[in-house]
Amino acid sequence: MSSSRSLVATPPMGLPIAHMRTVFQPEDVERKLARLQQAAGSEREHEILRNTWQRMLERGPQRFAVKPSGVPDMAPLYELMPNFGEALDDVKRHVALSQDSRDSLEVTPMLLLGPPGVGKTHFARQIAELLGTSMNLVPMSSMTAGWLLSGSSSQWKGARPGKVFEALIEGQYANPVIVVDEIDKASADAQYDPLGALYSLLEHDTAQHFIDEFAEVPIDASQVIWVTTANDERAIPEPILNRMNVYEIQTPSPEAARKIAANLYRSIRAEHDWGQRFAPEPAADVLDALSAMPPREMRRAIVTAFGNARLDERDAVEPDDLPRQGSGKTRIGFLQ
């Protein structure tokens, strides 16, 4: 892990650098609106499409493109997510390249490959916070149509824009983090390939002129920071795999899991006023119990344990305060 931190110097972080980037051309939208007004058909039929274009003009084409003002101190992230060292190194390299220049921050799309519960989505959220941008989650496991990323044709009933369009048009940033979660579970049918839009979105040049099938207006998606997650790479088409850096995320070792649990305990305690009622550090036997859980389950288990300890009017969490693994229920029925 020491080698991970020595890639580049880490000066103190200042405010993020932001410049404005045009994500679409208003004249393209104005032409579409003019044609729509001349087209035959009921007002109701084109209402959603008209509202979408008018909304684009109201919001305007400018969005923030942000990046850290220098290479941030990422040591806390290496501590919090010790099994993501290589992926964190990659982000750090890209930030280092863009510092002290007028270049935008560009991060090669990445695939986080690993078992459920190791913290892949949490990693993406932490990266968005580090870079000062937003995060948008696109869950592929429950998706049965190809329009979720790229939108559906306005000719279809119930048509709407896709998630990429929404992130760039409704959001504040030209470079949001978009997480395509469980990409290996996307189900394709005979008509639509759910991953079809990624062939162009993951390529910088073609992403500059991405066209959502609903809005039919070119938008600049070239600055999007793509993080995809999967349990099994065999279900992912080879051309998409070739567009990404692939990182195998292992289940944390017992020692690493204890560090993750201890950091989560401290952060949850610090985030809440009621946290001051509890001991600054968790007991060793509590860490032993937490280290046996997947990282995804640790946070809710710790919150449940704090609640149980508070009900018993104790300032220290005990192993029995934690929810029993596999039972699906807590000792007192706390929501998880």
Side-chain angles (χ1 to χ4, degrees):
M1 188 161 62
S2 58
S3 61
S4 296
R5 297 188 197 174
S6 61
L7 283 172
V8 289
T10 53
M13 269 297 289
L15 293 174
I17 297 172
H19 67 270
M20 302 306 292
R21 189 177 180 94
T22 299
V23 297
F24 68 89
Q25 299 299 322
E27 54 267 30
D28 292 337
V29 183
E30 291 165 354
R31 280 196 296 269
K32 289 286 186 181
L33 272 171
R35 290 175 188 169
L36 188 64
Q37 290 171 356
Q38 299 169 2
S42 68
E43 289 287 315
R44 192 183 198 95
E45 180 183 350
H46 301 300
E47 182 179 2
I48 297 177
L49 189 56
R50 180 183 292 104
N51 290 343
T52 298
W53 288 333
Q54 289 175 341
R55 174 68 173 163
M56 292 177 73
L57 294 177
E58 288 171 3
R59 293 221 64 211
Q62 300 290 307
R63 299 292 181 273
F64 292 112
V66 296
K67 65 179 181 180
S69 58
V71 181
D73 178 10
M74 294 172 59
L77 291 183
Y78 284 100
E79 289 287 340
L80 183 62
M81 299 178 289
N83 49 334
F84 286 84
E86 290 186 357
L88 288 169
D89 288 348
D90 193 25
V91 173
K92 200 170 190 178
R93 277 188 286 266
H94 286 293
V95 173
L97 285 173
S98 69
Q99 71 171 332
D100 301 327
S101 75
R102 288 175 290 181
D103 294 328
S104 299
L105 172 65
E106 295 182 13
V107 178
T108 303
M110 62 176 64
L111 169 63
L112 306 177
L113 189 65
V118 295
K120 299 188 291 289
T121 306
H122 178 67
F123 166 86
R125 186 172 290 108
Q126 292 294 320
I127 292 305
E129 185 174 327
L130 175 79
L131 300 179
T133 188
S134 60
M135 190 196 91
N136 300 266
L137 183 67
V138 183
M140 302 297 280
S141 59
S142 59
M143 194 194 72
T144 57
W147 56 263
L148 193 58
L149 283 167
S150 60
S152 53
S153 172
S154 60
Q155 299 178 11
W156 293 94
K157 183 178 180 181
R160 57 176 294 176
K163 296 294 186 181
V164 177
F165 179 91
E166 289 181 355
L168 292 170
I169 301 304
E170 296 297 336
Q172 301 180 57
Y173 300 99
N175 60 338
V177 173
I178 297 184
V179 181
V180 184
D181 197 33
E182 297 187 310
I183 190 174
D184 53 328
K185 295 183 180 177
S187 56
D189 58 29
Q191 292 181 315
Y192 288 103
D193 176 5
L195 303 180
L198 287 178
Y199 290 97
S200 61
L201 285 167
L202 296 180
E203 292 282 0
H204 182 271
D205 292 343
T206 52
Q208 287 181 304
H209 308 285
F210 172 71
I211 297 180
D212 181 270
E213 290 187 29
F214 179 82
E216 297 182 333
V217 175
I219 57 176
D220 183 359
S222 64
Q223 303 300 298
V224 170
I225 299 167
W226 291 98
V227 178
T228 67
T229 76
N231 301 329
D232 186 353
E233 65 180 323
R234 291 173 296 180
I236 305 172
E238 193 68 28
I240 290 181
L241 278 176
N242 291 339
R243 286 165 165 81
M244 300 185 288
N245 289 339
V246 180
Y247 299 100
E248 293 193 21
I249 309 301
Q250 304 295 330
T251 300
S253 67
E255 180 183 356
R258 286 175 64 89
K259 289 183 178 179
I260 293 171
N263 281 322
L264 279 173
Y265 177 99
R266 295 186 203 107
S267 66
I268 293 170
R269 179 180 176 274
E271 287 167 4
H272 299 89
D273 183 58
W274 49 253
Q276 302 310 307
R277 299 177 181 272
F278 294 95
E281 297 291 335
D285 52 358
V286 172
L287 289 179
D288 289 338
L290 286 168
S291 67
M293 301 180 182
R296 181 170 59 188
E297 296 179 13
M298 286 183 185
R299 175 173 287 274
R300 58 189 180 188
I302 292 170
V303 172
T304 296
F306 276 133
N308 285 331
R310 180 63 180 147
L311 283 177
D312 286 348
E313 299 183 349
R314 286 182 278 106
D315 61 3
V317 170
E318 299 177 356
D320 285 347
D321 295 324
L322 296 166
R324 292 187 295 273
Q325 282 190 274
S327 68
K329 298 178 181 179
T330 70
R331 185 163 65 94
I332 58 170
F334 263 44
L335 290 176
Q336 297 182 57

